[in-house]
Amino acid sequence: MNDLSGTIKMDEDGLFDFSSFWLKNQPPENYRELIAKILLHTRSWSQDILMFGKEDNTCIDVSLENNYVVDISVRIDLRTFNMDLMKKIVDLAKLFKCSLFLYETNELIESNSQILFEKIKNSNAAKFVIDPRKFLDEIDLNKFNDIKKIN
């Protein structure tokens, strides 16, 4: 795995910016073909983003600047979860020598299918997909209001 210490910065919107990492750690030259073996290359809404899969489903987005990869983002749609597809995505991350960053928890985890599956099972997305009403009923509105006050 590549060491990310000192390379992850926050952008002006408070989101993590991995571009400095990617500029020093480009994926293999045939990354497009490797990703297309997992998800079909589809038309993107941006000329700077290569999209594989469907935007409203499981997808992999590759952001480019001057033909260099500056970000690879994966979205796994739990409404149509497929264990085999998740494993292929993890295997791709291993091939690219990448760790996995989970935005919900701000965690960096190793590229390991078992670990990722455990994280998915315990995610808010999974809780919502299993029982949307219960998930919404259990949201602590006091915590939500406290967060709004901070912002």
Side-chain angles (χ1 to χ4, degrees):
M1 296 294 148
N2 289 311
D3 180 18
L4 295 176
S5 60
T7 62
I8 303 174
K9 309 224 182 314
M10 300 286 265
D11 67 13
E12 62 276 356
D13 296 323
L15 301 172
F16 288 97
D17 177 4
F18 294 95
S19 60
S20 58
F21 166 80
W22 281 109
L23 289 174
K24 296 175 187 171
N25 301 282
Q26 288 294 292
E29 285 186 32
N30 64 338
Y31 72 90
R32 293 174 195 220
E33 292 83 17
L34 294 169
I35 298 172
K37 287 180 181 179
I38 298 171
L39 291 167
L40 183 66
H41 184 246
T42 54
R43 185 178 180 96
S44 175
W45 55 271
S46 169
Q47 64 183 16
D48 297 324
I49 298 175
L50 301 174
M51 185 182 300
F52 300 84
K54 296 179 183 174
E55 186 176 7
D56 64 346
N57 205 298
T58 296
C59 62
I60 298 174
D61 293 337
V62 180
S63 300
L64 303 170
E65 282 182 18
N66 300 320
N67 288 322
Y68 285 98
V69 172
V70 293
D71 190 47
I72 298 179
S73 175
V74 177
R75 177 180 181 270
I76 297 175
D77 188 343
L78 299 186
R79 297 171 300 172
T80 58
F81 181 74
N82 178 313
M83 180 68 83
D84 186 51
L85 180 56
M86 183 206 72
K87 288 179 180 179
K88 288 178 182 178
I89 290 169
V90 170
D91 289 343
L92 187 68
K94 287 178 188 175
L95 182 65
F96 290 3
K97 297 183 173 83
C98 293
S99 298
L100 304 172
F101 183 77
L102 309 177
Y103 281 96
E104 179 181 340
T105 57
N106 286 335
E107 281 182 275
L108 194 63
I109 64 170
E110 68 179 279
S111 299
N112 177 296
S113 296
Q114 255 185 305
I115 294 171
L116 179 58
F117 184 63
E118 285 302 315
K119 297 291 183 179
I120 288 171
K121 283 192 328 188
N122 295 310
S123 70
N124 284 331
K127 292 173 188 170
F128 180 81
V129 167
I130 291 167
D131 190 342
R133 181 66 186 178
K134 180 180 178 189
F135 177 79
L136 294 173
D137 286 345
E138 290 178 352
I139 290 176
D140 186 342
L141 290 179
N142 292 324
K143 286 184 183 177
F144 179 73
N145 289 329
D146 289 342
I147 291 170
K148 283 176 52 178
K149 289 177 191 173
I150 293 171
N151 294 327

